[in-house]
Amino acid sequence: MSMIRDLRAVVRPARPSLRKDSGAYDTTRDPATPSAVVDCAVYRDGRRLETDKPLTPHEAMRQVRRDGGFVWIGLHEPTEAEFSGIAGEFGLHPLAVEDAVQAHQRPKLERYDDSLFTVFKTIHYVEHDELTANSEVVETGEVMCFTGRDFFITVRHGGQGSLRALRHRLQDDPELLAKGPSAVLHAIADHVVDGYIAVADAVQDDIDEVETEVFSPGRKGAPRGTDAGRIYQLKREVLEFKRAVSPLLRPMQLLSERPMRLVDPDIQKYFRDVADHVARVHEQVIGFDELLNSILQANLAQASVAQNEDMRKITSWAAIIAVPTMVCGVYGMNFDYMPETQWKYGYPLVLGITVTICLGIHRTLKRNGWL
């Protein structure tokens, strides 16, 4: 059982880095592999069988049926024609094959007679120098897994989420691979969910940045509407994140709780750890959405308060200007008998009274916080 105790360390050596140039995400197909088949290998007693030339899926399956072990085939965005031969060779269900080729599926677990079909959404955090109303925060891809008694097939869609490094780590632990295809399924599930945790931490930093700026004092010079656009864009990205995480809760619970003949009992218990991490990330994403709602409402309330303050200032200055406007309007009328028009000190007296009234109104309004 020492292999089982070290399972977590093997498939999860470190949380994937999301910083630039980390190499955590492979965005290109192997140049030496022009077809959709990225890798095809036979594993017996936990060890990869070395061959003089790359095996075809048919040759690999023939070896497995003759000598035992299991075959692991990795494909990247196969066409229907490229995948039809493999589907026929391994007896994959037509509905699952259709989903694997067309992609854009929600995370799920489907059981067929001789195989399990599992869909994972991979999440990649997009680096950005500054979060704007048009920033892309997360990118999604897909990993479809066909798990059989003696085969494991992965179909990837999207430019990120390469499984090459994970395959190499698993090959370094023959005891783990000796458990069969279910060990690979657990390793991929754990790898994908670890990616969720890392992305959640990065999104949390973006939300903290927006929250700090919204509630930061001294933001009078900031253009109105800028924060609302950024918050709304971040909400859209969190929603995309949520669509990847939430549907995965039930499949991980099934894999961890219900006995399945295609899943080794020693491996099944470790799906509980994956299910716990999915639940944790799901709670985080729900919290992100609620927090962004609160931040957006606070930002709109601040904009409303700022508009009210502007209206009060405009109203205050209008009230002050109304006094000289009224006086000038009265004395601008062409009447012969106007008060103090013939008096030597009439003009300075009226001017002084007007200024005094304006200053009194200004002082009163300023004391009440309108100016």
Side-chain angles (χ1 to χ4, degrees):
M1 298 297 292
S2 61
M3 177 277 299
I4 296 299
R5 297 192 199 98
D6 295 336
L7 179 63
R8 184 186 180 94
V10 172
V11 299
R12 189 187 303 168
R15 181 174 298 177
S17 172
L18 295 177
R19 298 301 122 191
K20 293 180 178 179
D21 301 326
S22 64
Y25 296 94
D26 183 10
T27 58
T28 60
R29 183 180 291 178
D30 188 347
T33 311
S35 70
V37 179
V38 178
D39 200 352
C40 177
V42 173
Y43 296 88
R44 189 174 301 128
D45 297 327
R47 299 185 182 279
R48 177 170 180 156
L49 300 185
E50 299 298 332
T51 58
D52 297 333
K53 62 179 181 178
L55 292 174
T56 66
H58 176 73
E59 293 171 340
M61 196 59 192
R62 189 170 56 187
Q63 284 193 23
V64 168
R65 288 169 179 166
R66 184 182 65 240
D67 302 322
F70 74 95
V71 57
W72 179 0
I73 303 173
L75 300 100
H76 182 245
E77 297 183 354
T79 64
E80 184 176 354
E82 288 175 318
F83 197 47
S84 60
I86 296 175
E89 179 71 34
F90 294 93
L92 305 180
H93 195 280
L95 292 177
V97 172
E98 181 181 0
D99 289 345
V101 172
Q102 293 182 355
H104 304 295
Q105 305 296 318
R106 70 194 303 268
K108 60 183 177 179
L109 170 67
E110 294 180 345
R111 288 177 289 182
Y112 297 100
D113 293 337
D114 299 319
S115 65
L116 293 175
F117 178 59
T118 315
V119 178
F120 299 97
K121 284 279 190 181
T122 57
I123 299 292
H124 168 46
Y125 179 78
V126 180
E127 287 289 346
H128 44 265
D129 296 329
E130 181 181 2
L131 183 65
T132 67
N134 300 316
S135 294
E136 186 176 15
V137 179
V138 296
E139 287 180 346
T140 60
E142 293 178 58
V143 177
M144 286 93 160
C145 302
F146 294 88
T147 307
R149 182 180 57 83
D150 52 9
F151 66 86
F152 189 83
I153 302 172
T154 58
V155 181
R156 289 195 303 114
H157 289 270
Q160 45 83 21
S162 173
L163 301 175
R164 185 178 293 113
L166 177 63
R167 184 190 284 259
H168 291 164
R169 289 201 300 271
L170 288 173
Q171 289 174 174
D172 290 337
D173 192 335
E175 289 186 74
L176 176 58
L177 276 180
K179 292 294 181 179
S182 61
V184 183
L185 178 62
H186 169 268
I188 291 178
D190 195 59
H191 173 74
V192 170
V193 173
D194 267 1
Y196 292 169
I197 295 174
V199 171
D201 291 342
V203 172
Q204 178 70 66
D205 292 339
D206 284 335
I207 295 176
D208 291 342
E209 178 185 346
V210 170
E211 183 180 23
T212 299
E213 293 183 4
V214 167
F215 293 101
S216 175
R219 298 178 62 254
K220 295 183 179 180
R224 287 189 188 133
T226 301
D227 288 330
R230 296 167 64 199
I231 297 169
Y232 185 71
Q233 176 65 15
L234 200 51
K235 276 182 62 64
R236 287 174 60 89
E237 299 297 309
V238 168
L239 178 60
E240 188 171 1
F241 194 3
K242 182 179 177 181
R243 288 172 179 166
V245 176
S246 298
L248 192 59
L249 285 169
R250 184 58 179 165
M252 290 300 101
Q253 289 175 354
L254 291 175
L255 286 170
S256 63
E257 296 172 0
R258 291 190 181 180
M260 298 183 185
R261 59 188 179 84
L262 294 175
V263 178
D264 188 283
D266 289 335
I267 296 296
Q268 185 175 27
K269 65 183 70 174
Y270 286 91
F271 277 106
R272 299 173 192 167
D273 182 63
V274 179
D276 287 343
H277 283 114
V278 173
R280 169 193 161 188
V281 176
H282 178 258
E283 292 174 358
Q284 280 186 285
V285 173
I286 295 298
F288 291 162
D289 192 44
E290 294 176 354
L291 180 58
L292 285 170
N293 283 334
S294 300
I295 295 173
L296 182 59
Q297 291 175 0
N299 182 71
L300 295 177
Q302 287 179 343
S304 178
V305 169
Q307 290 176 350
N308 290 337
E309 290 179 353
D310 290 344
M311 289 302 299
R312 289 197 301 179
K313 290 179 181 179
I314 293 172
T315 303
S316 300
W317 285 110
I320 294 173
I321 295 174
V323 174
T325 301
M326 182 187 67
V327 173
C328 293
V330 170
Y331 279 90
M333 293 185 292
N334 295 322
F335 290 101
D336 292 334
Y337 301 102
M338 294 290 292
E340 314 301 340
T341 55
Q342 304 300 322
W343 185 35
K344 176 179 178 181
Y345 300 104
Y347 177 76
L349 176 63
V350 171
L351 187 62
I353 293 173
T354 301
V355 171
T356 300
I357 294 174
C358 290
L359 290 174
I361 295 174
H362 182 275
R363 181 178 179 183
T364 301
L365 293 173
K366 191 170 186 178
R367 184 172 58 228
N368 292 334
W370 283 53
L371 286 174

